[in-house]
Amino acid sequence: MYEYFTYRKYPVRLPPLAHGLESTRHPVAIAGGGPVGLALALGLANHGIRSVVLEADDSVSHGSRAACISRRSQEILERIGGIAPVLAKALPWTAGTSYYRETPVYRLEMPMDKRQKYYPMVNLEQCYFEQDLADLIEAKHADMIEIRWHTRLAGFAATAQGVELALDTPAGAYRLAADWLAACDGARSSVRSQMGLRFSGSQYEGTYIIVDIHLPSSHPTERRAWFDPPSNPGSTILVHKQPGDIWRIDYQLRDDEDPEEAVKPENVLPRVKAHLDWIGETAPWEPVWISSYKANCLTLDQYNHGRVLFAGDAAHLVPIFGVRGMNSGIDDSHNLAWKLAHVIRGQADPRLLDTYSEERVFAARENIRAAAKSTDFMAPPSHAFKLMREAALGLAVADPFFATLVNPRQSSAISYGASRLALADREPFAAGPQPGATLAECPLERDGLPAYLTDLLGPRFVLLCLTATRPDPDLSGLGVTVALHWIAPTRDARAQAWDKSGELFPLYDARPEAYYLVRPDGHVLARWRMLDAMAVRAAVSGALKGP
Amino acid sequence: MLGPDQLDHVYTEACRRMTALGADKTELFLARLALLLMKEVGDSARILDAVDAARKSLENG
């Protein structure tokens, strides 16, 4: 098959050993060097915490796999220093079209206005994305992060103080001690199975074939879905464009097809050809990757188990429709990084990690709920779902009322409104991100230059002061830094930034003033109409030390 | 509310038109009719009550 990516092979490296045990103890060991493990390592480094990443393969993972990076993931990538190489290659998109037979029945338009810094979605093959993160670690964080390629986790023992891992490499086996183990080792997590932890939830029966092809085409980047197309009657076909003239094609198998037979190129390629011919793609093409897929709605009930923490596919499996798989894993890593860092530095009670589990299990269930609705439509799990879908699609041709049923419900940021790290408003707000939500993006002027609100975030608590009067709260002696950013409604040389567009203050219901306390992961912890240093101090110390 | 004569009329008309379409289209016809009536009713509680009533009527015999 056509190879569009050159896999860099990394050598295996053994650390200095004493009686088969690595001489140095690590603060954090991360099982799995996929996108979630690498993002977690970068997130921890951002907070000054070292980690060692243990990756069973000798290269980044094969194939295009997760191909779509959400706006929230792009924001997180910026925070951990990894956005530039991704955006240099990725294809941005905002829209899509769904067809029933030949007729367009639904137009997807994702939120994109002039306030946004990032596109709602960008497409990039997972191998490029992983390589970008690995390159970033090598170039800028070699002192904080060590990736050990070709190093497989064979077993481990956990105690209340840490973990001891047994590792296998082609150069020999050794043991490694760490204070914490982050299991980012994917859907077939060996950490999860060794701990005897079971997913709960449901699985869909239907099988999807995922094919990536190399096809030169000028068609713009969008999401296209066909239900019952003349090229493949009875089937559902999804087409996405990726960089480098790579196209992602997904289709569902009929119930009477054998998945093992159906994934063979001789059975895949004629169906792809029929569809390409029908949509008028005439350039020569060839396959680059073929895989089969079943939708799962599964999660662990808890992601923190003493010194072992689960993230990404190791913790939950979400159907692909709506692109919540890798994106939710990156969100996990961002939620976990600051909490684990604060616990390791002794700035937070270890129970802060309970909120990681509570918030991200909640997020997984929200993601599963939304993705299951998409899956029910894309891959009807029963005769009734199939019948009603056909009925809805037929009506949607003439009546947009029914077209909303076709909405693929793309991934969007999740709000932790019920978390103990989201303090209820004391005064009513008519607008603005509620406690638990991520910031709504807005342009502003900072130090005389155009900037965005989220540019003010960093690996620390941030107090955004939207006010005309100089804020001067005493936030010393908290044990952690709270960065104070003063944003004035009009140009003011004393403030860090001002609301040049005039949109920020109304968007945040900040007239005459408002104060938003933002967690290190960019979610709002609390907000007030008046500046009250005592309330800010209580919110930060309550978050870290527990109720 | 429909009176007995009106109910008789719409019932008969629905049956006639389904018959004209042919037995192989009956199921899809009823599914589309259900969706169109959901739109007309416009009240999720009333729709779910009707859905439940239909289910119970089949469970009980």
Side-chain angles (χ1 to χ4, degrees), chain B residues 16-47:
Chain B
R16 275 204 187 133
R17 282 164 207 196
M18 267 192 284
T19 307
L21 279 169
D24 57 328
K25 293 206 176 75
T26 299
E27 192 180 41
L28 189 57
F29 174 93
L30 288 172
R32 285 194 185 169
L33 182 63
L35 284 173
L36 289 166
L37 291 175
M38 284 181 194
K39 182 185 176 188
E40 287 303 315
V41 172
D43 176 341
S44 53
R46 284 177 62 204
I47 295 167

Side-chain angles (χ1 to χ4, degrees), chain A residues 65 185-194 199 292 313-314 317:
Chain A
R65 299 155 78 98
D185 52 347
R188 293 182 200 89
S189 168
S190 71
V191 177
R192 193 183 67 230
S193 58
Q194 284 178 53
F199 278 144
S292 70
D313 282 358
L317 293 176

Side-chain angles (χ1 to χ4, degrees), chain A residues 429-433 506-509 516 527:
Chain A
F429 275 82
L507 190 65
Y508 279 69
D509 191 15
Y516 283 75
R527 58 180 178 172

Side-chain angles (χ1 to χ4, degrees), chain A residues 436-447:
Chain A
T438 54
L439 295 183
E441 188 60 287
C442 194
L444 40 71
E445 188 172 279
R446 182 191 192 191
D447 302 327

Side-chain angles (χ1 to χ4, degrees), chain A residues 63-88:
Chain A
S64 321
R65 299 155 78 98
C68 193
I69 301 168
S70 69
R71 175 180 281 147
R72 175 64 184 150
S73 292
Q74 294 169 64
E75 289 172 1
I76 293 169
L77 282 172
E78 180 184 347
R79 300 272 80 78
I80 61 177
I83 189 65
V86 167
L87 291 191

